[in-house]
């Protein structure tokens, strides 16, 4: 992917539709989403539970497919593609942070952070070195050899953020990253995100907390699968 | 790329898999171990029994039969039943010239040593030994080793030489320590014979080893003269050319002999016979059957073990759906997820299988050592072993099984969309 300059449309969705099939019922979740995110932006997505926030983020993150419309990631159309190609794109260009951390329980913090580089077939030594560097950046160096269950919620999320950053993605997608954290820790995590954003990485954060959303450049409000406001 | 086998993550996941389902995995892994272990033990035991059984045939060329004269059981050409008859040197000549399927014909006569008989004398020493009258052809049927001198030859027969070949085991009975028997004269029933050779029987498992290893061989012609047997031959040992059925040749020989001795053509019981080839075939068929059974049972118990492993892996994949989802979100391709799982399955099958193989071979080796140590003269069991190819075949089955066992769980693992996997 070519160098991403500011004001480039890094994410571009046009009229995206997504319907889930549950039994015989079609549940329309996204009903014509049109959204553009420029490189370097920090956007939050808000909306009530079930409004389709996660679905939207999963489509952006190439974890799910969409039924209709167009989605361009840095100018390239993301249509139907095989899983191997999607995996490669996720690995190189996207970072994920989840509400429930999604760390692998039997791997240490360091090994968790290094995982994306493992899938790039980078040698153990190099990837551990880089993982250590990122853990250090997030103030987690001394926890490198701990297992996730030995860490607090905030620490786990820091490890997850380090993991999301390690492969130098252009976009980091976070689905309620502070949802499982207390307010102080939440603010710390958001501060980390702001720092990351300051380095030029585009951020899309789902949240249902006003004060968290207020820390971003732009708030997209979703309701019943359509964008209500975009401010 | 780092090879899967040298990759710490591979082993980490295998250990984790086992830990997560400790009891279940250990039982399954043990199942594979036990399957292979038992297969190896069964193969080895089968082979041991086979070796034991075959070894009693080792003293003879297997494609051979023996035939001897009994009394007639049917009246024929004016003779009543119960007529006695004997084979003669003329029969020998006729059989040798008219039955081309015969490879070697050994006319034999015997006087068995009976206790207290003391029929063989050297100086002040005496022994009771079985005396055979033989021709050189017998060596093509009864396998023996000449450890010194020579065996009876054609000239001995033609010139009715008074020569003898004696058993290595009988030397201590007649000669004091270390005396070379060759050239010495022993007296048999009052007649002097010069010792020209010493023989040894290769197979201690032969039923008759005790008696035959101490026997004395004389030229048949000299035997007949010494013991006043005239032209009489005790029985025939016949080696059939390969490619011919010993039973058919036996029938033909019996017909010729019946005609020559005025025995009713259908008077089968007038002849005694023993078909070595048929007995050998019966036994080798039996062992083929046993071997088939062993592999059949073995493969199925192995299969059960492999299916168990496959099941464990299915459970593992199910329990680790979320983790697989995470990896896929982070960029693991379906191929890498699948190959990792198949490799894990392969390790879980082949490692315990390999240990089972090594331990099975080890246990067989120990049994063999014990047998050798005890020097059991049992004919039942000898040298249990698993040949290289059987071991190789077992490993191949195991490896193939491991890969196959991993395929279904591997497919199951990447069947879901990453988003659905993550939701678990
Ligand atoms: N795999 C699925 N199958 C069926 N329905 C789904 C599935 N995923 C999400 N949904 C439904 O889609 C709607 C939107 O879900 P989601 O995007 O998770 O909402 P949000 O994250 O805003 O709470 C919900 O009603 C949810 O039940
Ligand atoms: Mg959600």
């Amino acid at each position: 992917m070519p160098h991403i300059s500011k004001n480039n449309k890094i994410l571009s969705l046009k009229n995206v539709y997504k319907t889930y099939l549950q039994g015989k019922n079609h549940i329309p979740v996204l009903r014509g989403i049109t959204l553009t995110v420029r490189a370097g932006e920090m956007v939050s997505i808000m909306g009530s539970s079930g409004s389709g926030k996660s679905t939207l983020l999963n489509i952006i993150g190439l974890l799910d497919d969409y039924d209709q419309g167009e989605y361009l990631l840095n100018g390239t159309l993301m249509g139907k593609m095989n899983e191997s190609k999607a995996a490669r794109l996720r690995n190189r260009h996207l970072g994920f942070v989840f509400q429930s951390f999604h760390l692998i329980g039997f791997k240490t913090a360091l090994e968790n952070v290094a995982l994306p580089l493992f899938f790039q077939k980078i040698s153990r030594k190099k990837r551990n070195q880089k993982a250590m560097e990122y853990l250090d950046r997030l103030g987690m160096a001394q926890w490198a050899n701990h297992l996730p269950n030995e860490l607090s919620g905030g620490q786990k999320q820091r490890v997850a953020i380090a993991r999301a950053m390690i492969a130098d993605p252009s976009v980091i997608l976070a689905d309620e990253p502070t949802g499982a954290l207390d307010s102080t820790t939440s603010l710390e995590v958001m501060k980390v995100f702001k720092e990351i954003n300051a380095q030029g990485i585009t951020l899309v954060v789902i949240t249902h907390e006003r004060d968290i959303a207020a820390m971003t450049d732009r708030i997209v409000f979703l309701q019943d699968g359509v964008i209500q406001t975009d401010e | 790329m780092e090879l899967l086998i040298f990759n710490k993550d591979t082993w980490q996941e295998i250990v984790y898999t086992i830990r997560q389902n400790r009891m279940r995995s250990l039982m399954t892994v043990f199942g594979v171990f036990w399957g292979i272990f038992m297969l190896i033990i069964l193969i080895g035991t089968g082979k041991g029994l086979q070796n034991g059984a075959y070894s009693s045939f080792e003293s003879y060329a297997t494609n051979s039969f023996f035939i001897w004269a009994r009394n007639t059981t049917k009246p024929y050409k004016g003779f009543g039943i119960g007529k006695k008859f004997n084979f003669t040197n003329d029969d020998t000549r006729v059989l040798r010239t008219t039955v081309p399927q015969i490879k070697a014909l050994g006319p034999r006569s015997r006087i068995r040593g009976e206790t207290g008989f003391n029929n063989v004398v050297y100086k002040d020493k005496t022994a009771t030994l079985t005396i055979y009258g033989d021709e050189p052809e017998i060596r093509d049927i009864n396998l023996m080793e000449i450890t010194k001198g020579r065996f009876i030859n054609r000239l001995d027969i033609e010139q009715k030489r008074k020569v003898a070949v004696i058993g290595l085991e009988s030397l201590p009975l007649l000669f004091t320590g270390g005396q070379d028997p060759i050239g010495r004269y022993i007296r048999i029933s009052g007649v002097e014979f010069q010792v020209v050779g010493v023989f040894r029987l290769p197979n201690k498992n032969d039923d008759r080893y005790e008696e035959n290893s101490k026997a004395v061989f004389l030229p048949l012609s000299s035997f007949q003269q010494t013991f006043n047997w005239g032209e009489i031959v005790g029985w025939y040992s016949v080696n059939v050319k390969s490619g011919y059925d010993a039973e058919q040749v036996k029938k033909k020989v019996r017909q010729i002999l019946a005609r020559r001795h005025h025995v009713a053509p259908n008077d089968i019981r007038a002849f005694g016979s023993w078909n070595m080839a048929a007995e050998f075939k019966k036994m080798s068929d039996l062992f083929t059957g046993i071997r088939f059974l062993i592999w059949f049972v073995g493969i199925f118990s192995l299969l059960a073990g492999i299916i168990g492993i496959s099941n464990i892996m299915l459970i593992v994949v199910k329990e680790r759906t979320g983790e697989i989802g995470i990896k896929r979100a982070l960029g693991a391709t379906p191929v890498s997820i699948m190959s990792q799982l198949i490799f894990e399955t392969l390790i879980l099958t082949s490692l315990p299988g390999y240990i089972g193989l090594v331990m099975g071979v080890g246990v067989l080796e120990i049994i063999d050592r014990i047998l050798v140590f005890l020097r059991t003269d049992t004919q039942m069991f000898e040298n249990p072993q698993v040949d290289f190819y059987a071991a190789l075949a077992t490993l191949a089955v195991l490896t193939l099984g491991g890969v196959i066992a991993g395929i279904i769980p591997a497919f199951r693992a990447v069947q879901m969309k990453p988003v659905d996997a993550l939701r678990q």
Side-chain angles (χ1 to χ4, degrees), chain B residues 155-163 219 221-222 225 231:
Chain B
L155 272 180
D156 296 334
I157 305 289
E158 281 165 12
Q159 301 179 0
K160 299 185 185 174
R161 285 176 177 165
K162 300 285 183 292
V163 293
S221 53
S222 321
Q225 191 181 50
E231 295 272 303

Side-chain angles (χ1 to χ4, degrees), chain A residues 20-22 27 29 48-56 175-176, chain B residues 420 423:
Chain A
Y20 281 117
L21 194 66
Q22 202 156 47
I27 307 169
V29 179
S48 57
S49 179
S51 56
K53 304 184 295 292
S54 297
T55 305
L56 176 59
D175 192 345
E176 302 198 36
Chain B
D420 295 322
R423 205 171 278 127

Side-chain angles (χ1 to χ4, degrees), chain A residues 110-125:
Chain A
L110 186 81
E111 288 166 337
N112 266 289
V113 173
L115 216 47
L117 300 186
F118 172 74
F119 300 126
Q120 286 180 19
K121 301 176 168 69
I122 288 171
S123 77
R124 165 171 295 274
K125 198 173 155 230

